[in-house]
């Protein structure tokens, strides 16, 4: 089952990350005379907002889907096939508004696939192997764009490149569905559960009621903001290193490759080691710290060589971090009845940085260039590391020294009432 999860993840990530890292930059550059960076930021940032909305909705719908084909398989297949068709259409777009609309649609449908895939991981991957598969998923997250860029490197026609990415994504999505074994939903779904207002109400998980979930969400969001640096690798090559389009494409490919090897090594070591030691927090702290160091190196890099070193360092930190990130996040889920929806909310922490960073990047670039951008991202990663200290370690979920997974509000109310009771006076005999 883990193989199916990995295959589906790679298929969606190839289709989403390859354009963000390279193809969208080249497409927007070809359609605009000036302001390409701003247009890129607006399109990718707004697209991430569409993903932000789609992912939890898709998870909730997936939870309630009673199709005989399977509630997760149905949406993995739907997202993979329809999303790949949208990617093909992107290759044939001839105006910025067309790129924007199609990218928003791509983000929406692929997040239906990702939401169902995340729920499948939580349901069918054994707890004792989640660290191992978290590392593999992290590796696939890095390999996705690398696979996509390598696949299109032999094609000179822009439209052909988009079609290759679409075909690869569709193939992997269909393959993952063939590997999944899933029973239809046994219980009847109440129609009220799928009403728009009921859906909206279910998406709010109060961090006061579920503190650990709130902290792990913040952890993932802040560290993922640092990982979003790669969205500007092409602009870094074009504007800071003054490379041509062809050389920039080669630079982006080498940057991706430079991060994959250390990421793979770290993930394949840290994930299984976390499972064996039954410890997760040290790996999260170490991974975040290494990412921050790599971002500082990117801030001072003025040559391709130092940029490659920085990419390798960030890859090492990312591999260490993601090897346990998924595992600890699933451990903090508050309910087993709404896994798809809750994983969708958790995935917002992956999606929002792709929106936040492109929105703030133009301002940071204006203020202090690429050093200001990369140093700001490093600060966010350090803030993410601080949240780890509020999370319970494996087997210590009920320890009052750390945030509880679910807080008993009635118990809290009683404790508060007792705290406000007057202290009885001592009577003198």
């Amino acid at each position: 089952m883990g193989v199916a999860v990995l295959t589906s993840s790679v298929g969606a990530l190839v289709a989403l990350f390859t354009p963000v890292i390279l193809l969208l930059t080249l497409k927007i550059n070809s359609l605009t005379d000036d302001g390409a960076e701003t247009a890129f930021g607006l399109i990718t940032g707004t697209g991430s907002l569409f993903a932000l909305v789609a992912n939890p909705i898709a998870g909730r719908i997936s939870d309630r889907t009673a199709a005989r084909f399977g509630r997760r398989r149905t949406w993995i297949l739907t997202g993979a096939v329809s999303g790949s068709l949208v990617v093909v259409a992107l290759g044939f777009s001839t105006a910025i508004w067309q790129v924007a609309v199609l990218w928003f649609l791509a983000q929406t449908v692929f997040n239906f696939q990702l939401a169902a895939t995340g729920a499948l991981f939580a349901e069918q991957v054994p707890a004792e192997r989640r660290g191992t598969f978290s590392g593999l998923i992290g590796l696939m997250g890095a390999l996705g764009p690398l696979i996509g860029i390598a696949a299109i490197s032999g094609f000179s026609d822009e439209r052909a490149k988009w079609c290759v990415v679409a075909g690869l994504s569709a193939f992997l999505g269909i393959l993952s569905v063939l590997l999944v074994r899933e029973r239809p939903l046994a219980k009847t779904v109440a129609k009220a559960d799928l009403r728009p207002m009921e859906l909206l109400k279910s998406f709010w998980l109060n961090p006061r009621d579920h503190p650990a979930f709130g902290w792990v969400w913040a952890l993932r969001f802040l560290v993922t903001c640092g990982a979003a640096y790669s969205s500007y690798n092409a602009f870094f090559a074009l504007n800071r290193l003054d490379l041509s389009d062809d050389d920039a494409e080669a630079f982006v490919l080498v940057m991706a490759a430079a991060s994959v090897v250390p990421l793979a090594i770290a993930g394949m070591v840290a994930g299984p080691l976390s499972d064996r030691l039954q410890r997760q927090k040290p790996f999260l702290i170490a991974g975040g710290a290494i990412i921050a160091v790599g971002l500082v190196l990117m801030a001072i890099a003025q040559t391709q060589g130092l940029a490659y070193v920085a990419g390798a360092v960030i890859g090492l930190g990312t591999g260490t971090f993601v090897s346990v990130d998924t595992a600890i996040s699933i451990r903090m889920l508050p309910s087993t009845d709404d896994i798809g929806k809750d994983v969708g909310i958790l995935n917002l922490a992956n999606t929002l940085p792709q929106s936040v960073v492109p929105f703030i990047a133009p301002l940071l670039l204006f203020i202090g260039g690429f050093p200001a951008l990369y140093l700001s991202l490093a600060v966010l990663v350090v803030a993410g590391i601080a949240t780890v200290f509020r999370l319970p370690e494996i087997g210590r979920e009920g320890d009052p020294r750390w945030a509880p997974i679910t807080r008993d509000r009635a118990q809290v109310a009683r404790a508060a009432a007792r705290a406000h009771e007057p202290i009885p006076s001592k009577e003198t005999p």
Side-chain angles (χ1 to χ4, degrees), residues 289-327:
I290 296 171
I291 292 172
V293 170
L295 289 168
V296 172
L297 291 177
M298 280 296 298
I300 64 175
Q302 297 186 23
T303 64
Q304 294 185 54
L306 185 53
Y308 296 150
V309 172
V313 172
I314 294 173
L316 181 66
T318 302
T320 305
F321 179 83
V322 301
S323 66
V324 295
D325 171 56
T326 302

Side-chain angles (χ1 to χ4, degrees), residues 236-322:
F236 179 88
L238 292 169
N239 298 333
R240 189 165 194 185
L241 301 181
D242 198 25
L243 300 180
S244 65
D245 284 358
D246 290 339
D247 290 339
E249 182 174 340
F251 172 82
V252 171
L253 178 59
V254 175
M255 280 289 288
S259 67
V260 164
V261 174
L263 188 152
I265 294 173
M268 297 307 295
V269 171
L273 187 59
S274 170
D275 286 339
R276 180 179 293 273
L277 297 177
Q278 291 293 285
R279 298 287 301 278
Q280 294 173 334
K281 294 168 65 172
F283 298 95
L284 296 170
I285 295 170
I290 296 171
I291 292 172
V293 170
L295 289 168
V296 172
L297 291 177
M298 280 296 298
I300 64 175
Q302 297 186 23
T303 64
Q304 294 185 54
L306 185 53
Y308 296 150
V309 172
V313 172
I314 294 173
L316 181 66
T318 302
T320 305
F321 179 83
V322 301

